[in-house]
Amino acid sequence: MPEDKQIKESLQEIAKTWNEVLDAFFLKAGLQSRQILVLGCSTSEVIGHHIGQGSSLEVAEVLLPPLLDRAKQQGVFLAVQGCEHINRALVLERACVEHYRLEEVTVLPALHAGGAMTVKAWESFSSPVMVERIQGHAGIDVGDTFIGMHLRPVVIPIRIHVKELGQAHLTMARTRPRLIGGQRAAYA
């Protein structure tokens, strides 16, 4: 019984920190309507296990709903990256796949092949679809899941006061268009 209370308190603290992270991220990311936000999240790392060794639907249930709410408020598409067991494929809404003309792949996320966040996203999205690759406009990486392969060049780190979520290392980024030209080029 005391362990259940400790877990509940830990999840409450994680939820509080996550809301702070989301406030800071959306303030700094500058996302526009219909852009893509990539989430990579090891729920194992959040609760202090080695990546892929303790997938937690309980953590996913704490983290995904507030992120989904904010993505909807901002009018952005959320892409949730799975683990290497499904080639880091992503769960997206069908509307995003159609808007960006992405290629759908056939795989269903599972707790130990995709991870808890992709399972929760698959359950929570209105019309979930899996894709193998995208070029997102910003990203949140919880637990060093390496989402960079799914971000557009050029990636700009977003730095905030929070460096960890639970036990997981936290990094965030936005992207900007490439600067081209030479000495005489001007940029807006």
Side-chain angles (χ1 to χ4, degrees):
M1 198 68 144
E3 190 174 309
D4 288 343
K5 183 179 179 189
Q6 187 178 20
I7 291 169
K8 186 175 180 181
E9 288 172 359
S10 177
L11 289 175
Q12 289 172 340
E13 186 61 34
I14 289 166
K16 181 180 175 221
T17 302
W18 184 237
N19 280 309
E20 291 175 25
V21 166
L22 294 179
D23 287 343
F25 172 79
F26 279 101
L27 186 66
K28 293 185 174 198
L31 287 166
Q32 298 173 10
S33 180
R34 301 182 76 93
Q35 288 188 324
I36 301 171
L37 166 58
V38 178
L39 172 68
C41 180
S42 169
T43 58
S44 301
E45 292 273 335
V46 171
I47 57 175
H49 293 102
H50 181 48
I51 195 166
Q53 300 300 309
S55 294
S56 170
L57 286 171
E58 294 82 6
V59 171
E61 288 167 0
V62 166
L63 300 182
L64 190 63
L67 178 56
L68 260 178
D69 288 345
R70 296 202 188 177
K72 287 177 184 174
Q73 288 170 7
Q74 295 277 325
V76 299
F77 295 117
L78 179 61
V80 180
Q81 176 185 279
C83 71
E84 75 272 13
H85 296 103
I86 59 170
N87 297 343
R88 300 198 193 289
L90 306 110
V91 182
L92 292 164
E93 287 284 6
R94 182 167 300 284
C96 180
V97 171
E98 291 172 357
H99 180 77
Y100 285 99
R101 297 183 176 158
L102 301 170
E103 183 180 350
E104 184 177 347
V105 295
T106 304
V107 66
L108 289 175
L111 193 58
H112 299 294
M117 289 301 287
T118 56
V119 169
K120 186 66 179 166
W122 187 267
E123 293 170 357
S124 301
F125 286 11
S126 61
S127 184
V129 175
M130 297 297 293
V131 300
E132 193 171 12
R133 63 180 60 91
I134 60 168
Q135 287 197 318
H137 301 88
I140 300 173
D141 190 326
V142 181
D144 299 323
T145 63
F146 296 109
I147 61 171
M149 66 189 284
H150 294 304
L151 295 177
R152 294 171 177 236
V154 172
V155 176
I156 308 295
I158 294 176
R159 304 206 192 280
I160 65 168
H161 64 287
V162 179
K163 305 294 182 212
E164 292 182 338
L165 182 64
Q167 303 291 312
H169 181 240
L170 175 68
T171 56
M172 297 174 289
R174 64 179 179 82
T175 62
R176 67 157 171 79
R178 298 173 197 213
L179 303 177
I180 63 165
Q183 229 173 15
R184 298 180 192 182
Y187 308 104

